[in-house]
Amino acid sequence: METEQGPPSQDEIPPGTIIGERYKVVKQLGQGGMGVVFQVEHAVTKRRLAIKAMRRTRDDSFRQRFLTEARAACAVQHPAIVPIHDVIESDGRVLMIMDFLEGHDLYDLVQQRPNQRIHIQEAAAHLLPIVSALGALHSANLVHRD
């Protein structure tokens, strides 16, 4: 799959690909240092979910950090922490199966108002759930590295 930016990344999974015999890739949602997130559809239930796929690497310590992230996310229940339903391995990668959340990120919000500042109360409304989630993680002796 060629993109406008050049050849495809080794971490991309093309739309239509079936993962773990039951998750059909709809589209890529985003990426970070540890993995790439895709919207998927469950083959049987047609439920929309998200899969965070570990970046391809031969580094076992990277794989262990990814698994630690999955365990940490499962260890804490909080409204601002996306629940993980399963962790599977497919095509040499570890994948987290989680809820798909509709919405936008803060970057989108800022881009929609290029010449306006975000009021402190609006910023606080966006940041409080994040701070609360970090507090829940810290209470469980976990640290979010991002």
Side-chain angles (χ1 to χ4, degrees), residues 11-33:
D11 295 317
E12 289 181 13
I13 303 174
T17 301
I18 304 299
I19 299 172
E21 300 179 6
R22 62 187 156 278
Y23 302 104
K24 182 179 179 182
V25 175
V26 176
K27 65 181 176 179
Q28 181 175 321
L29 299 172
Q31 56 186 312

Side-chain angles (χ1 to χ4, degrees), residues 28-95:
Q28 181 175 321
L29 299 172
Q31 56 186 312
M34 295 283 298
V36 182
V37 180
F38 300 91
Q39 178 184 342
V40 298
E41 180 181 87
H42 191 280
V44 176
T45 66
K46 304 301 182 199
R47 182 178 178 199
R48 287 189 305 166
L49 297 161
I51 287 184
K52 182 174 184 179
M54 180 184 81
R55 290 197 176 279
R56 291 191 185 277
T57 179
R58 293 174 193 233
D59 181 357
D60 193 53
S61 66
F62 186 86
R63 182 180 181 283
Q64 291 307 316
R65 283 196 320 267
F66 194 83
L67 289 169
T68 298
E69 178 184 335
R71 286 186 200 102
C74 290
V76 178
Q77 292 185 348
H78 186 278
I81 298 175
V82 180
I84 295 181
H85 302 291
D86 200 2
V87 176
I88 63 173
E89 291 196 46
S90 178
D91 193 28
R93 298 166 84 174
V94 178
L95 306 114

